[in-house]
Amino acid sequence: MTIALPMQLRQIRGTVLIPLLDQPGFKLVPDAVLVIDDSGRISELKTAPDPCPIPETKPGCIWMPGFVDTHLHFPQSRVVGSASGPLLEWLDETIFPEEARFLDAHYARMVADEFCLSMLSQGTVAAAVYSSSAPSATQILFETMARVGLRGLVGLTLMDRMAPQRVLLDAEKALGAARELAEQWHGFDGGRLEFCITPRFAISCTPKLLKGAAKLAHELNLPVQTHISENQDEIDTVRQLFPKHESYLDVYARAGLLDGRSILAHCIHLSDDEWDLLADKGCSVSHCPDSNFFLGSGQMALHKVQSRGIECGLGTDVGAGRTFSLRRIAASAYDTALLTGSQTTAEELLWYASRGGAKVLGMDDRTGRLEVGCEADLIVMKQSDTGLKPARLFDSLVFQHDQNGVEATYVRGRRVYMKDGS
Ligand SMILES: [Zn+2]
């Protein structure tokens, strides 16, 4: 006998993947019982007794922590797959014109709904999101994420130069709007949503804006996210704009933007000195392999991260990334590892896509963790053969996109997405 997937989870029986806390891997419990209390926290997690009076909740499926997307762009949702790279040309031709459309609140509201559903349907429960430079669109994104039940960091994208006027906001106005949004949303609903200081990248921010952004982050104790070292033309431009700085990373370091709550996306062409500085500052990395392939940017070597003990998560980087699926990104990260001489496994990459990402967001006490007392952010994945040996099971979850998929997504035990017919 089976029961339908409920709106509010109370108890589950089935195969559960429990992420290890501090190393990439999972404990597989083939027949577990998981109980969730009224507040959405896990109150019991144990191997099912024999005999067990509870029927299996969803046969042919696996329960695991929801995915965490450490880097994507809300206003690029509708231009996924626009083959107009490399980076700087793609920004000019495709991205800036599209992001300008988010000055229109009606358009922003419509896309916000699509954007959130795209994440939830792929099992993403939390994300670090770049909004556009429009405060109104950022407000709409917060409201939508609050309503649909998603977790995450959201940032007003800061840019005050080297882009069309319609997507620029001068430093004072942008920082004023960022402060207002942070005061309204940072820590919303028990820490489900946070405001993130988000300079787009060094090219699009004057030194005044970078410094002001860092000052605001320190004053309000906010996380920071930005791009770095994605493309050689970008790096050359940064060198011309900041000739007195030792490196690209040094621009952010001297502005005061780097600490244990800074998330740096791409990190493809960093020098060893930059990698060491990044590690010393305690920054985290968002690895965006699909985007890196699509814009021909290059590949980030995972071993540079692993050998320095840097926190790392995976990012779809929609819209340069062509999918909202962290499973596909994990597969792409596997390909990247092959090309860069890095050792990894599907199991490890699945951990980066969930628990690793939660650590990058600074939300690992709230999500990406299946333990008594933790909030129940879970997904149910269809798995054609739940009896597979663990290594094959992880391979199947990461690489077999055609057969298996997300049946339902839960945040704090509440269903936020269900596939038709589940
Ligand atoms: Zn990006």
Side-chain angles (χ1 to χ4, degrees):
M1 188 187 105
T2 62
I3 54 172
L5 285 168
M7 193 64 204
Q8 191 71 42
L9 283 181
R10 296 293 173 196
Q11 62 180 10
I12 297 162
R13 182 180 173 200
T15 303
V16 178
L17 290 178
I18 301 172
L20 304 180
L21 287 187
D22 292 313
Q23 65 189 78
F26 291 86
K27 179 181 169 194
L28 171 68
V29 184
D31 189 6
V33 171
L34 194 148
V35 181
I36 293 150
D37 68 18
D38 290 342
S39 69
R41 287 174 190 277
I42 298 168
S43 58
E44 216 178 320
L45 176 55
K46 62 181 185 189
T47 300
D50 183 19
C52 181
I54 307 164
E56 190 175 356
T57 310
K58 186 77 180 163
C61 288
I62 300 244
W63 296 82
M64 61 174 290
F67 294 120
V68 178
D69 191 339
T70 57
H71 183 92
L72 80 169
H73 298 258
F74 156 53
Q76 297 174 16
S77 306
R78 287 203 169 178
V79 289
V80 167
S82 173
S84 47
L87 175 68
L88 300 182
E89 289 80 352
W90 172 79
L91 285 171
D92 286 337
E93 283 175 33
T94 302
I95 297 306
F96 293 147
E98 176 65 13
E99 293 199 0
R101 300 183 72 188
F102 286 75
L103 292 163
D104 173 357
H106 175 72
Y107 186 67
R109 195 162 278 118
M110 187 167 60
V111 179
D113 281 336
E114 295 169 8
F115 174 72
C116 290
L117 180 60
S118 298
M119 283 194 276
L120 294 172
S121 64
Q122 294 297 337
T124 296
V125 294
V129 186
Y130 289 56
S131 178
S132 75
S133 54
S136 54
T138 311
Q139 173 71 15
I140 287 164
L141 177 59
F142 267 117
E143 287 168 1
T144 308
M145 287 176 70
R147 173 167 48 80
V148 303
L150 266 164
R151 284 184 198 276
L153 315 181
V154 174
L156 174 73
T157 296
L158 304 174
M159 43 198 305
D160 66 345
R161 68 172 173 189
M162 295 185 74
Q165 197 58 40
R166 285 177 308 156
V167 293
L168 298 181
L169 201 57
D170 75 58
E172 252 163 62
K173 273 191 196 146
L175 294 171
R179 179 185 290 277
E180 275 179 28
L181 287 161
E183 283 169 353
Q184 183 180 356
W185 289 106
H186 189 65
F188 173 83
D189 191 18
R192 185 159 63 81
L193 297 177
E194 293 190 0
F195 184 81
C196 189
I197 291 293
T198 308
R200 177 172 219 119
F201 61 170
I203 294 177
S204 61
C205 298
T206 57
K208 179 185 172 193
L209 181 55
L210 289 176
K211 286 199 176 115
K215 191 160 167 276
L216 189 58
H218 292 151
E219 183 190 331
L220 302 181
N221 196 22
L222 304 173
V224 171
Q225 60 183 349
T226 191
H227 298 88
I228 189 162
S229 214
E230 179 175 356
N231 163 293
Q232 199 56 53
D233 289 342
E234 169 208 10
I235 296 165
D236 294 343
T237 308
V238 170
R239 195 171 290 133
Q240 286 162 18
L241 291 169
F242 297 90
K244 292 185 181 150
H245 289 69
E246 282 167 33
S247 64
Y248 193 162
L249 191 66
D250 186 49
V251 173
Y252 295 144
R254 284 213 244 159
L257 284 162
L258 304 184
D259 66 20
R261 290 223 63 194
S262 310
I263 306 169
L264 298 169
H266 299 288
C267 302
I268 298 171
H269 307 287
L270 295 180
S271 66
D272 282 347
D273 284 349
E274 286 178 291
W275 275 114
D276 291 342
L277 176 61
L278 191 156
D280 284 348
K281 293 281 186 184
C283 306
S284 304
V285 166
S286 174
H287 183 24
C288 305
D290 185 61
S291 159
N292 296 344
F293 279 123
F294 188 59
L295 293 184
S297 303
Q299 286 94 34
M300 189 201 82
L302 196 58
H303 63 80
K304 305 255 185 193
V305 170
Q306 292 168 322
S307 63
R308 291 172 174 83
I310 295 166
E311 301 289 3
C312 179
L314 301 183
T316 60
D317 196 17
V318 158
R322 292 158 288 185
T323 177
F324 283 88
S325 164
L326 266 302
R327 296 168 65 218
R328 286 186 183 271
I329 298 303
S332 193
Y334 188 85
D335 298 346
T336 295
L338 293 177
L339 291 170
T340 57
S342 304
Q343 301 288 326
T344 192
T345 60
E347 178 179 1
E348 192 169 68
L349 293 167
L350 214 53
W351 187 91
Y352 284 128
S354 50
R355 170 114 188 112
K359 288 167 81 105
V360 167
L361 264 57
M363 292 188 157
D364 49 311
D365 57 335
R366 280 153 276 173
T367 192
R369 186 167 179 167
L370 302 187
E371 283 189 352
V372 170
C374 296
E375 298 179 23
D377 288 8
L378 288 161
I379 54 174
V380 198
M381 299 279 299
K382 191 167 167 49
Q383 180 54 46
S384 29
D385 185 359
T386 50
L388 288 173
K389 290 210 162 55
R392 283 291 306 123
L393 175 66
F394 290 114
D395 286 351
S396 156
L397 286 170
V398 169
F399 299 121
Q400 293 186 350
H401 308 125
D402 296 343
Q403 289 96 322
N404 306 315
V406 175
E407 296 287 310
T409 305
Y410 287 86
V411 174
R412 286 183 181 152
R414 189 172 78 87
R415 198 178 70 210
V416 287
Y417 166 78
M418 187 172 72
K419 191 176 157 191
D420 292 345
S422 283

